[in-house]
């Protein structure tokens, strides 16, 4: 439990930090005493998201990293600090290893609902691109970020030749912030009462760090 949950958050963050947030938020209703541990797992997944953003920028347009490096480091450091805090807090609250009921190996119901939500958001993104065009780049990035950061980050990185570097950098940060807010909302809605208090602190710090990151980028 102590090592596996956090490792799952880290590995899950390589694929979808949003799905990790959904799953562990739901799990907290089964075992609320592990709320701090589940919070550390979803924050760890969020940490990996910032690493993915930097990786895509490096692979597809290194010029973007000159301005994005420091903002992403600020977000990464904040998420790491929050992850460690809640992991240590769980250690203090649950000195003995707790048992997690195995349950179903594949929770298809949750996965199907998440898939429906994901497809719906992708449709909104498609219409936003068609009707708003380049003038709606920030709006599109915000909408896209609600479901996925990778796709919009790669797209912006590849099309930055037709838009200013600053616009591309801000668009990527907007997508990142939108995804963070979406996960915050999911956690508040799906988690236990105990976990909600942890989530408000953890994601609250990351959202504040996002404001600082925007300020650093646009100084």
């Amino acid at each position: 439990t102590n090592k596996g949950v956090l490792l799952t958050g880290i590995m899950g963050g390589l694929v979808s930090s949003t799905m990790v947030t959904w799953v562990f938020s739901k799990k907290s209703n089964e075992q609320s005493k592990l709320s701090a541990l589940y919070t550390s797992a979803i924050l760890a997944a969020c940490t990996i998201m910032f690493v993915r953003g930097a990786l895509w920028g490096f692979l597809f347009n290194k010029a973007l990293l000159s301005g994005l490096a420091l903002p992403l480091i600020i977000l990464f450091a904040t998420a790491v600090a929050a992850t460690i805090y809640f992991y240590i807090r769980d250690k203090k609250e649950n000195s003995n290893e707790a048992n997690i009921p195995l349950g179903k190996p594949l929770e298809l119901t949750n996965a199907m609902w998440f898939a429906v939500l994901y497809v719906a958001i992708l449709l909104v993104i498609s219409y936003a691109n068609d009707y708003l065009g380049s003038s709606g780049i920030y709006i599109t990035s915000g909408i896209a970020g609600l479901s996925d950061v990778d796709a919009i980050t790669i797209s912006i990185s590849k099309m930055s030749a037709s838009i200013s570097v600053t616009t591309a950098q801000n668009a990527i940060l907007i997508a990142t912030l939108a995804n963070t807010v979406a996960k915050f909302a999911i956690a508040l809605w799906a988690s236990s009462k105990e976990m909600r208090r942890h989530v408000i602190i953890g994601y609250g710090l990351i959202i504040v760090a996002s404001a600082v990151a925007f300020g650093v980028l646009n100084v």
Side-chain angles (χ1 to χ4, degrees):
T1 300
N2 290 337
K3 297 177 181 178
V5 171
L6 183 61
L7 180 60
T8 300
I10 294 171
M11 298 304 292
L14 294 171
V15 181
S16 173
S17 56
T18 308
M19 192 61 186
V20 170
T21 301
W22 175 277
V23 171
F24 280 126
S25 294
K26 299 287 285 186
K27 286 284 187 184
S28 71
N29 291 294
E30 300 173 10
Q31 285 192 307
S32 60
K33 68 178 182 179
L34 294 179
S35 293
L37 183 60
Y38 289 146
T39 302
S40 72
I42 65 175
L43 292 174
C46 192
T47 300
I48 301 301
M49 178 187 70
F50 301 132
V51 176
R52 294 202 325 260
L55 177 62
W56 298 137
F58 175 78
L59 291 176
F60 291 97
N61 194 333
K62 295 180 183 179
L64 294 179
L65 285 182
S66 60
L68 276 178
L70 184 55
L72 287 177
I73 288 173
I74 291 172
L75 292 169
F76 175 81
T78 303
V80 167
T83 299
I84 294 173
Y85 169 77
F86 283 108
Y87 185 71
I88 293 175
R89 180 166 179 169
D90 173 75
K91 288 282 190 179
K92 293 179 179 178
E93 294 177 351
N94 302 300
S95 55
N96 298 320
E97 178 119 356
N99 293 319
I100 298 180
L102 292 179
K104 302 175 183 177
L106 294 176
E107 298 187 34
L108 295 181
T109 302
N110 281 343
M112 289 174 66
W113 276 112
F114 185 82
V116 170
L117 176 63
Y118 186 84
V119 171
I121 292 175
L122 288 181
L123 287 173
V124 174
I125 295 169
S126 177
Y127 280 107
N129 277 319
D130 289 341
Y131 291 102
L132 297 176
S134 59
S135 63
I137 188 73
Y138 290 150
I139 297 175
T140 303
S141 296
I143 295 173
L146 292 174
S147 61
D148 179 73
V149 173
D150 294 339
I152 189 65
T153 299
I154 293 172
S155 298
I156 293 296
S157 297
K158 293 175 71 173
M159 70 178 290
S160 59
S162 59
I163 60 177
S164 71
V165 172
T166 301
T167 299
Q169 291 168 336
N170 275 299
I172 291 173
L173 279 186
I174 287 173
T176 301
L177 175 59
N179 191 260
T180 300
V181 172
K183 287 181 291 193
F184 184 29
I186 288 172
L188 287 178
W189 177 73
S191 65
S192 65
K193 182 179 179 180
E194 179 68 22
M195 186 171 174
R196 287 191 196 108
R197 292 196 290 266
H198 299 330
V199 165
I200 289 172
I201 296 172
Y203 273 118
L205 288 172
I206 295 175
I207 291 172
V208 170
S210 297
V212 175
F214 275 109
V216 169
L217 179 61
N218 294 284
V219 168

